[in-house]
Amino acid sequence: MSLQIFPDYSSLSLHVAETIVMHLKQEPESVLCLAAGDTPRLAYTQFVQAVRRERMDISKCTFVGLDEWIGIPPGNEGSCHYFLKNNLFQPLSISPDQVHLFNALTKDVRGECAKMDAVIRDKGGIDFMLVGVGMNGHIGFNEPGVSITHYSHVVDLDETTQSVGQKYFKESTKLLKGITLGLQHLLESRKVIVMASGGKKAGIMQKALEGPVTTAVPASIIRQHPHGFTMLDQDAAALLTTV
Ligand code: F6R
């Protein structure tokens, strides 16, 4: 794994955006998995600007969803679906054929997981993954203690995720379960970027990067990835002792 630290959120975001652009220029037919959440928001704005500025053709890539809150409809502003649609798919005029997201309203969650795993398998795996890190160290909704061998699965969200997740919603919302790609997807992806910013992530990033590699801190698994990159701003890196 390689670690890169940037002076602030905007330089970090710009680097992440440029990394996505570079990847798509080299491999336009890629399968991409891009997280929702506050962390990558600015990187996506900069990515959209770059695609427009450089008139890139991104009609050949595929987007697969990382995770979703079970029971939250796609039109709810707190859903991952809504976030990705508004920050990426709509501004980039991505065709619906290019997008495969979890249906969080399904009655058949196991079937939904199997469907997502089959899409990823049929497309030859994920080429590029960009993930954030939860306050409890989660990646996607792979909560502390998750099995490293899981592909898509349904989880009981832990208390931290249930309460921190409220920030995405206009009103208080019950967030009990999530559906997510698994750590096995992350380990099998050809390239993975873990992105974190801000002082509130400093403690968990110290554990993830300097503590034991353990599913108790799912983000620490990035250290086992041969093409894993951790990109932080100075504030998120503030408690690292070995840099
Ligand atoms: C979102 C996701 C989550 C977030 C994480 C950090 O699709 O998978 O794991 O990446 O909770 O959230 P932010 O970026 O809002 O701090």
Side-chain angles (χ1 to χ4, degrees):
M1 185 211 64
S2 106
L3 171 65
Q4 289 166 286
I5 299 170
F6 298 85
D8 52 30
Y9 178 58
S10 53
S11 52
L12 164 68
S13 300
L14 190 60
H15 184 78
V16 169
E18 282 168 353
T19 306
I20 307 173
V21 165
M22 223 147 64
H23 178 83
L24 278 175
K25 282 185 178 169
Q26 282 161 5
E27 297 176 40
E29 293 182 16
S30 286
V31 176
L32 305 171
C33 173
L34 304 180
D38 290 336
T39 309
R41 197 182 286 274
L42 179 60
Y44 294 162
T45 305
Q46 292 163 332
F47 170 59
V48 168
Q49 284 167 354
V51 170
R52 288 185 180 153
R53 194 173 54 239
E54 302 188 29
R55 297 175 193 270
M56 284 170 66
D57 175 9
I58 55 164
S59 63
K60 304 216 166 35
C61 65
T62 301
F63 294 89
V64 295
L66 173 61
D67 51 6
E68 191 54 279
W69 313 99
I70 292 275
I72 302 295
N76 183 312
E77 77 289 338
S79 70
C80 300
H81 192 121
Y82 187 95
F83 175 94
L84 293 171
K85 187 171 150 203
N86 279 275
N87 289 283
L88 285 171
F89 305 147
Q90 250 172 15
L92 290 170
S93 306
I94 299 290
S95 147
D97 303 350
Q98 290 175 260
V99 179
H100 302 268
L101 301 182
F102 286 115
N103 172 9
L105 300 181
T106 181
K107 294 266 181 305
D108 176 15
V109 282
R110 281 182 169 219
E112 191 62 24
C113 290
K115 204 161 87 185
M116 182 61 91
D117 290 349
V119 166
I120 293 172
R121 214 174 31 244
D122 292 351
K123 298 210 168 281
I126 298 170
D127 296 295
F128 184 102
M129 207 166 178
L130 170 65
V131 297
V133 178
M135 295 297 291
N136 59 0
H138 74 199
I139 294 239
F141 285 146
N142 289 277
E143 301 284 43
V146 66
S147 161
I148 204 167
T149 58
H150 280 348
Y151 289 95
S152 297
H153 60 287
V154 173
V155 291
D156 291 326
L157 297 170
D158 90 13
E159 276 178 25
T160 308
T161 303
Q162 292 184 31
S163 62
V164 174
Q166 297 300 323
K167 68 177 174 166
Y168 306 119
F169 294 86
K170 284 211 180 92
E171 37 194 64
S172 157
T173 304
K174 264 207 174 115
L175 302 171
L176 298 177
K177 284 181 181 286
I179 184 166
T180 185
L181 298 191
L183 291 181
Q184 199 49 227
H185 283 120
L186 178 128
L187 288 170
E188 290 177 11
S189 291
R190 291 184 186 90
K191 180 171 183 174
V192 182
I193 296 174
V194 170
M195 177 185 188
S197 111
K200 63 181 187 299
K201 297 282 171 74
I204 196 64
M205 290 319 298
Q206 193 277 332
K207 281 191 189 150
L209 298 179
E210 296 183 342
V213 174
T214 164
T215 58
V217 182
S220 66
I221 300 303
I222 188 64
R223 285 153 60 196
Q224 284 189 346
H225 197 293
H227 301 288
F229 297 81
T230 300
M231 300 182 184
L232 307 176
D233 64 11
Q234 198 67 254
D235 289 345
L239 296 179
L240 299 182
T241 54
T242 51
V243 291

